[in-house]
Amino acid sequence: MWSSSVVRRVVLTLALASFSLAGSTIHVPSTSTVKESVLPPRGWAQHNRPHPDHKIELRIGLPQPNFHILEEHLYEISDPFHERYGQHLSKEEVEELVAPHPESIDSVTAWLASHGFQEADLERSPAKDWVYLTVPVSVAEKLLDTTYYVWKHVESGDEFVRTTSYSLPDHLHAHIDVIQPTTMFARFKGMKTTIHSVEDAVKEFQPPKLDSSLNADAHVPVDPTCNTTITISCLQQLYNAVGYTPSANINNSIGITGYLEQFANIQDLQSFYTEQRPDALNTSFNFVSVKGGINSQNLSEAGAEANLDVQFAFGLSFPIKSTFWSTAGRPPFKPDATEPENSNEPYNDWLDFVLAQEEIPLVISTSYGEAEQTVPKNYARRACNGFAQLGARGVSLFFSSGDGGVGDGESDPALQQCFTNDGRNVTKFMPSFPAGCPFVTAVGGTVNVPEIAVDFSGGGFSDYWSQPKYQQNAVNAYLKKLPEGLYKGLFNPGGRAFPDVAAQGLRFRIWLNGVPRSIGGTSASSPTFAGIVALLNDARLKKGQPPLGFLNPLIYSKGGDGFNDIVFGNNPGCGTPGFNATKGWDPVTGLGTPNFKKLKDLLT
């Protein structure tokens, strides 16, 4: 195991090798050049100029010159065959490995000071790799030598204050990775396909009984009602977790992220527990506000996404300690107002917040995302690096893989909307973000008993990240099965492939606004899988073993036999039938759905 002092020495040695500070001086040249430029994105229309006093919170990302060392640590401590497996890093060790070089800090600070900003005007992340500055639009335009406009998303009506290009003094290009909000047009939406009316959910029903004999080896039939209604009991039977009792007293934990004013209602949770998890009745979760996020308990404001995530993740893992974060910010907003009503980047607000905490839940599920191409590559990479930091600290991160199949979910070529936003308008499969980040575990969807792939299950290959070593054997085996030339040019066969795993994604019975409803989407699959992993952490912690942390190197190797392979179904989109589920890994259901008892035997 590398001690904190060893980590510090390695970082210092490489930092000194990379930079020579002897006699260095910081100067401010007079010339500026474009740092980042994008074409007007498809589906967005430029409108009027925003009020000059409208506030923007600029996020300035400084380079992380030693991130590659953090990545090496992450893969070593996540590899079950490495001697360092499970030896997760501390918050302080991670921060040292992502800290920018002092020259970058000094250069950016001097540049801001030249525009009249003092240290008291700035906020910095604990590692000092981000600088935050709230300024009027008029000031941001001078700082970045750009012009902001109000842009409107034609389909939804969402409005953002954005620019398509910004510039920096030449000497700063090496000291700043990215500045946002500038060129980012991602809308970051919830991953749910359907929410049915009250009449579509049986108002009164008897949940299937928890009979451990029903699913002793995960191959016998589960209760037939699970083909029409998914409950906690159905998931326990399907995934071979019937009869397992986790502990509330071993420092285990699970968390759910909430955005876009999606509130998790406690009254609905109690109704859900009464019906499906009576031993959890009168218990709740720990609520944490991020940047002023609230969790309104007005029953009429309960969120379908938040209720789904909380009820099933916490219902499956009860009585493990649970946390629900609510992060402020959602479109639409009023771009003519002077106050910053919405930065439109709530996801990274959450990431910044949680990285600054000493203690973080060991398992976290997120059911939100966006098409990868709508997130500027530099910004997406920085967010992905943040996920790696959480993984290095022993956190397992799960993201819904998306609900559009290989793109828009449309199999009719005449109706497909999968076009690149680089000005070419070329038809192409649309990978999802954050699901395509190699440092997270992406969860696809299944349906029915026996399980098949649900047709909206997002999956494919990233255009931003190359294929990580941990999945190459599994993915290449799949690619060899594809007919020669199939979908040539529509996807990147060398990209990070997703999803990694899958779980049920349709007909989940939740309580919403005081009544039962049926809901579906990979937004149901991710919290389900997260709940199972929280149980696995329980089994490990009881034996004095560390939590699982970043899961992918493990599941693609030692844990591979702990999954139910899904071999039927496909994920249409972009005017095509999409990819097929097949034996082994596939870009619809990944490695398959979890078999808890098999995984527990393999991993403890």
Side-chain angles (χ1 to χ4, degrees):
M1 177 179 181
W2 287 19
S3 67
S4 177
S5 60
V6 172
V7 172
R8 281 193 290 270
R9 286 199 300 273
V10 172
V11 172
L12 181 60
T13 299
L14 287 176
L16 292 176
S18 301
F19 295 86
S20 175
L21 295 181
S24 65
T25 59
I26 294 171
H27 61 287
V28 182
S30 58
T31 59
S32 292
T33 53
V34 173
K35 172 65 176 177
E36 186 174 13
S37 180
V38 299
L39 291 169
R42 183 184 180 91
W44 291 85
Q46 180 179 294
H47 282 253
N48 57 304
R49 297 264 282 129
H51 191 291
D53 292 331
H54 176 80
K55 300 286 180 57
I56 294 178
E57 183 182 76
L58 291 178
R59 306 164 58 91
I60 305 171
L62 279 61
Q64 302 166 325
N66 296 308
F67 177 79
H68 64 287
I69 304 176
L70 174 72
E71 188 174 9
E72 291 175 8
H73 281 284
L74 176 64
Y75 282 124
E76 288 180 0
I77 62 180
S78 304
D79 178 356
F81 301 106
H82 197 281
E83 62 182 2
R84 294 185 62 212
Y85 178 68
Q87 297 176 12
H88 303 118
L89 304 183
S90 69
K91 175 178 180 289
E92 293 73 23
E93 289 171 332
V94 168
E95 288 170 359
E96 289 181 33
L97 288 165
V98 298
H101 193 275
E103 185 178 356
S104 294
I105 297 174
D106 292 343
S107 296
V108 172
T109 301
W111 168 60
L112 293 174
S114 73
H115 286 269
F117 297 104
Q118 304 303 313
E119 188 63 32
D121 301 316
L122 314 177
E123 292 185 39
R124 299 183 190 269
S125 62
K128 298 186 176 2
D129 55 334
W130 287 100
V131 178
Y132 313 109
L133 178 68
T134 300
V135 296
V137 164
S138 57
V139 174
E141 290 179 334
K142 292 179 181 178
L143 198 64
L144 304 178
D145 190 18
T146 189
T147 302
Y148 280 88
Y149 286 91
V150 176
W151 289 80
K152 186 171 185 178
H153 188 249
V154 176
E155 182 180 350
S156 68
D158 292 349
E159 292 183 328
F160 291 170
V161 173
R162 293 291 188 268
T163 180
T164 56
S165 174
Y166 67 93
S167 298
L168 293 172
D170 292 342
H171 82 290
L172 281 179
H173 283 241
H175 299 297
I176 293 178
D177 274 346
V178 64
I179 301 180
Q180 293 291 348
T182 48
T183 59
M184 183 171 176
F185 287 82
R187 293 174 51 237
F188 197 66
K189 54 186 180 292
M191 296 295 195
K192 60 178 182 293
T193 58
T194 53
I195 177 166
H196 304 292
S197 66
V198 176
E199 290 72 25
D200 287 330
V202 180
K203 292 184 179 179
E204 295 181 4
F205 84 119
Q206 284 293 109
K209 295 181 179 179
L210 294 178
D211 182 351
S212 60
S213 66
L214 283 174
N215 201 27
D217 61 5
H219 297 292
V220 299
V222 300
D223 190 289
T225 64
C226 298
N227 250 316
T228 56
T229 302
I230 292 295
T231 63
I232 293 293
S233 175
C234 290
L235 297 174
Q236 290 171 325
Q237 293 174 43
L238 273 166
Y239 301 141
N240 207 5
V242 171
Y244 184 81
T245 304
S247 171
N249 303 308
I250 54 172
N251 294 322
N252 197 6
S253 50
I254 182 172
I256 291 292
T257 61
Y259 303 96
L260 309 181
E261 294 181 5
Q262 277 283 323
F263 307 136
N265 188 268
I266 296 174
Q267 182 178 331
D268 281 335
L269 180 65
Q270 298 308 312
S271 298
F272 177 84
Y273 281 165
T274 298
E275 185 179 82
Q276 297 194 35
R277 192 82 207 223
D279 56 332
L281 191 60
N282 298 322
T283 69
S284 187
F285 48 82
N286 177 41
F287 167 66
V288 177
S289 169
V290 179
K291 296 204 75 170
I294 64 174
N295 191 36
S296 170
Q297 290 305 297
N298 184 329
L299 195 60
S300 65
E301 294 182 351
E305 185 76 73
N307 274 14
L308 165 65
D309 294 353
V310 161
Q311 289 171 20
F312 274 88
F314 300 164
L316 267 174
S317 59
F318 178 81
I320 295 170
K321 180 181 177 182
S322 55
T323 295
F324 174 71
W325 294 277
S326 177
T327 303
R330 67 161 292 139
F333 72 114
K334 299 177 181 178
D336 58 344
T338 58
E339 291 303 311
E341 295 188 17
N342 189 353
S343 68
N344 296 304
E345 298 175 55
Y347 186 76
N348 280 279
D349 287 339
W350 172 83
L351 186 55
D352 293 341
F353 173 86
V354 77
L355 282 170
Q357 307 307 303
E358 291 290 341
E359 294 186 6
I360 307 172
L362 299 178
V363 171
I364 300 174
S365 174
T366 298
S367 295
Y368 299 78
E370 182 58 290
E372 186 179 80
Q373 69 168 356
T374 68
V375 185
K377 185 179 292 187
N378 285 345
Y379 198 56
R381 289 188 179 278
R382 285 300 296 258
C384 189
N385 289 359
F387 305 145
Q389 294 175 55
L390 289 173
R393 291 174 61 179
V395 178
S396 300
L397 289 172
F398 299 94
F399 285 85
S400 301
S401 68
D403 291 342
V406 292
D408 57 5
E410 180 57 65
S411 59
D412 186 342
L415 301 176
Q416 67 94 5
Q417 296 293 315
C418 299
F419 302 105
T420 59
N421 62 0
D422 57 3
R424 298 179 301 153
N425 288 329
V426 174
T427 299
K428 202 170 187 301
F429 290 168
M430 295 284 116
S432 298
F433 176 81
C437 167
F439 305 129
V440 308
T441 302
V443 188
T446 62
V447 67
N448 296 341
V449 183
E451 292 181 279
I452 63 172
V454 70
D455 60 4
F456 55 72
S457 182
F461 300 79
S462 171
D463 291 318
Y464 284 5
W465 288 278
S466 60
Q467 196 175 108
K469 185 177 180 179
Y470 61 71
Q471 66 173 186
Q472 286 179 353
N473 289 340
V475 174
N476 288 337
Y478 177 83
L479 291 173
K480 289 178 181 178
K481 300 175 187 176
L482 289 181
E484 186 174 357
L486 181 67
Y487 302 150
K488 184 176 181 180
L490 293 180
F491 74 99
N492 172 25
R496 186 282 205 253
F498 70 98
D500 303 294
V501 294
Q504 286 278 317
L506 197 60
R507 306 173 188 142
F508 276 59
R509 181 181 175 87
I510 68 169
W511 280 76
L512 179 66
N513 310 128
V515 294
R517 294 181 183 262
S518 179
I519 189 171
T522 55
S523 57
S525 309
S526 184
T528 293
F529 202 96
I532 295 295
V533 172
L535 298 182
L536 291 170
N537 273 342
D538 176 87
R540 288 177 59 83
L541 291 169
K542 284 175 178 174
K543 290 190 174 183
Q545 298 171 322
L548 289 167
F550 176 43
L551 210 58
N552 294 6
L554 172 70
I555 61 177
Y556 280 95
S557 57
K558 183 178 179 180
D561 292 334
F563 292 88
N564 309 310
D565 198 3
I566 309 302
V567 297
F568 295 105
N570 60 299
N571 58 352
C574 305
T576 76
F579 295 110
N580 289 327
T582 187
K583 184 177 180 181
W585 180 89
D586 56 71
V588 192
T589 61
L591 297 168
T593 59
N595 183 320
F596 170 74
K597 288 183 178 176
K598 283 188 176 181
L599 286 168
K600 181 171 71 72
D601 291 343
L602 285 168
L603 306 181
T604 60

